[in-house]
Amino acid sequence: MSSSVSTIRAAFDADQFRALGHKLVDRLAGYLGAATGGAKMPVMPGVSNEQLNAAWSSRFQRGAGRFDELVARMVAGSNHLHHPRYVGHQVPPTLPVAALAELTVALLNNSLAVSEMGPSGAAIERSLIEWMTGAVGWGAGAGGVLTSGGALGNLTALLAARQAKAGDSWNDGTAPRLAILASEQAHYSVERAVRVMGFGRHGFVPVPVDETFRLRASALEESYRAATRAGLTVIAVSASACSTATGTYDPLEEIAEFCAAQGLWLHVDAAHGASALLTKRYRGLLKGIDRADSLVWDAHKMMLMPLLVTGVLFKDRAAGAGAFASPRASYLYEDAPDAADEISRRAFECSKPALGFPLYAALSLYGVDAFGQYVAGTYDLGRRFAEMIAATDDFELAVHPDANIVCFRYTGGRGKDLDAVQARARKRIVGEGAFYLVQVRLPAGLFLRTTIINPFTSEEDLAGLLTAVREAAA
Ligand SMILES: Cc1ncc(COP(=O)(O)O)c(C=O)c1O
């Protein structure tokens, strides 16, 4: 046997794996303790892309690397989402047990193309989908799949809408001049899905929002009529629950009413906000969601899961199956006992890891209520942060938050270019690694945007953020 083959065989050595694994877990546990404790470490690595490109250059090809050294560099050159001062995008600090579950999934490497290839993974997925559809309030006819992210989830749901409302697109091609209505604040993946489906630039009809960035339900009728007058066939409305930029929930009940009257498919992009279904205090924000035909729910947002695990859920399981035509693949399906129902027939992916195992493990260990409390806690803190901002005379809130996304700007430098003030403040804070926060452009100008997603973030951290912005803006 050649020496390279024996190198690969040796790489499977169980004792070596054990030793590397123990060292890895020790290192990550130390990191986790320091990060969640808010140790005096920057939230971001503070190195330039050029430095990182050089550090991760093609030296890797020599094969002489040391795993613990690579992990150390990876950790040092990454953003620290477990740090309480991480208030950036809607990506959570992952639950440690979910990361361990992911390690298990990676080593087993069972694909879910057909359940024969990933027996437990497939059963877990079915169980989670049943639980998620139950949380929405749907009955036994509901169904869905887990998929790789909200963007792919939105495309999957809208493909099902097209098949349900616009003829047999899979076989006959997409009918000309189809369109969907969506809030002008919808996540970009909704418009992308429309373009991918071949509806063209007219196919995404933006519906105006009110001053709180909620889709204006009273404008649906006019948007629908205008689209129809322009020769478009509207097949669906996509609502946001909540929107990405400001975390605002669209009025689902009123939108559902409109869809029922017009015979339109209702899709709800609840990638971020569906987890509020698990709370008593905030599930009212989703009132009417059970009237949707489809929805998307990301567990890698408000359920603290590693990227990516998204539920694409359908009220009518059979309609959901219309998203994709059954592929001809005798090597997968000919001997599958329930071929029509195999996961890869209903999802875009062919090979797919056991996406649900980390979530299943976390729910099994901690229970659904713990997640409900976590989500409610972040929404509560969002409101508290908004009150803190409103109580100052040098900050302005973009909108009173529905969720844990809070947008605000520093106005202390009146007379100055406010957009430039926010941009400069953010750059300075992020550059120092004091906090990770982002920015968003709204009609009134540039705002600072925070997502309070880390269970260790406190009021004190948020007060510290306001101080940091004041100092950086000065
Ligand atoms: C409302 C909404 N929909 C969809 C997405 C896209 O999800 P993903 O990043 O998982 O593809 C996001 C991402 O932030 C989102 O906020």
Side-chain angles (χ1 to χ4, degrees):
M1 189 192 311
S2 76
S3 71
S4 53
V5 171
S6 57
T7 300
I8 291 299
R9 281 203 176 163
F12 284 85
D13 180 72
D15 289 331
Q16 188 194 36
F17 175 67
R18 183 176 297 111
L20 285 177
H22 283 173
K23 251 187 172 169
L24 172 71
V25 171
D26 281 345
R27 179 184 288 281
L28 292 182
Y31 166 75
L32 188 64
T36 53
K40 292 241 165 300
M41 60 191 255
V43 182
M44 305 176 72
V47 274
S48 67
N49 285 343
E50 290 72 30
Q51 287 169 307
L52 288 168
N53 289 343
W56 294 103
S57 74
S58 54
R59 276 181 300 154
F60 68 88
Q61 295 173 20
R62 285 185 287 136
R66 279 193 17 240
F67 186 62
D68 52 351
E69 185 269 337
L70 288 171
V71 172
R73 273 204 285 141
M74 182 69 186
V75 170
S78 295
N79 295 333
H80 306 307
L81 278 63
H82 292 83
H83 194 296
R85 296 196 162 195
Y86 169 83
V87 286
H89 286 288
Q90 303 144 271
V91 187
T94 48
L95 278 173
V97 79
L100 294 176
E102 190 109 333
L103 172 65
T104 312
V105 169
L107 191 79
L108 294 173
N109 209 29
N110 279 209
S111 168
L112 300 200
V114 285
S115 29
E116 182 183 86
M117 294 173 73
S120 279
I124 285 169
E125 175 157 332
R126 285 191 288 270
S127 230
L128 283 172
I129 293 293
E130 197 181 319
W131 170 71
M132 286 173 139
T133 54
V136 173
W138 289 337
V145 279
L146 296 180
T147 196
S148 310
L152 188 54
N154 281 332
L155 175 62
T156 304
L158 293 174
L159 283 166
R162 182 183 67 168
Q163 193 69 2
K165 296 289 181 186
D168 185 0
S169 306
W170 275 106
N171 291 308
D172 303 336
T174 303
R177 300 191 64 75
L178 298 179
I180 71 147
L181 305 179
S183 152
E184 58 188 4
Q185 287 289 322
H187 187 262
Y188 78 83
S189 60
V190 174
E191 181 167 1
R192 177 175 283 180
V194 164
R195 305 278 188 128
V196 168
M197 292 191 296
F199 293 12
R201 70 173 174 281
H202 303 294
F204 179 87
V205 180
V207 181
V209 294
D210 64 16
E211 60 293 343
T212 62
F213 303 101
R214 257 176 207 80
L215 181 146
R216 212 181 268 280
S218 59
L220 278 170
E221 184 73 40
E222 179 43 34
S223 300
Y224 179 77
R225 279 183 200 284
T228 310
R229 274 198 305 273
L232 295 163
T233 305
V234 177
I235 60 163
V237 177
S238 177
S240 307
C242 49
S243 68
T244 307
T246 58
T248 309
Y249 282 78
D250 285 344
L252 301 183
E253 195 82 85
E254 290 167 72
I255 299 171
E257 209 55 56
F258 175 78
C259 287
Q262 301 296 342
L264 303 176
W265 180 283
L266 172 56
H267 172 62
V268 181
D269 177 358
H272 183 94
S275 300
L277 287 168
L278 310 180
T279 76
K280 287 194 184 70
R281 267 200 298 293
Y282 296 111
R283 62 171 301 136
L285 291 165
L286 291 144
K287 193 159 179 292
I289 198 165
D290 53 325
R291 297 177 68 182
D293 295 289
S294 57
L295 73 91
V296 155
W297 179 350
D298 281 2
H300 57 272
K301 290 190 168 58
M302 291 306 294
M303 292 200 74
L304 300 167
M305 288 298 115
L307 301 163
L308 300 156
V309 51
T310 295
V312 199
L313 311 178
F314 297 96
K315 180 157 60 194
D316 174 359
R317 181 183 171 72
F324 301 106
S326 293
R328 280 190 300 275
S330 57
Y331 42 86
L332 287 175
Y333 305 120
E334 199 164 292
D335 192 27
D338 195 5
D341 201 39
E342 287 294 359
I343 289 170
S344 59
R345 293 217 162 181
R346 293 176 290 112
F348 186 78
E349 296 99 329
C350 172
S351 299
K352 181 176 90 175
L355 290 177
F357 184 52
L359 179 60
Y360 190 96
L363 286 167
S364 306
L365 264 66
Y366 311 123
V368 173
D369 284 352
F371 285 89
Q373 279 164 27
Y374 152 71
V375 174
T378 66
Y379 280 38
D380 288 347
L381 193 51
R383 280 161 174 69
R384 179 69 200 113
F385 187 36
E387 284 164 13
M388 289 160 62
I389 292 165
T392 68
D393 54 13
D394 55 353
F395 282 98
E396 178 180 85
L397 207 52
V399 58
H400 197 78
D402 277 346
N404 55 335
I405 297 173
V406 183
C407 301
F408 62 99
R409 65 179 172 178
Y410 182 68
T411 53
R414 270 205 199 287
K416 295 187 194 154
D417 175 349
L418 280 187
D419 287 4
V421 169
Q422 317 313 314
R424 190 177 62 241
R426 188 190 98 86
K427 206 173 224 63
R428 170 110 39 106
I429 291 169
V430 164
E432 289 166 357
F435 288 85
Y436 184 30
L437 77 167
V438 300
Q439 64 187 42
V440 63
R441 186 161 295 284
L442 298 172
L446 196 67
F447 281 75
L448 299 170
R449 176 174 174 273
T450 53
T451 307
I452 302 166
I453 200 164
N454 183 319
F456 294 92
T457 301
S458 64
E459 254 184 74
E460 202 187 339
D461 292 312
L462 298 173
L465 174 58
L466 295 183
T467 305
V469 172
R470 262 188 204 108
E471 287 171 6

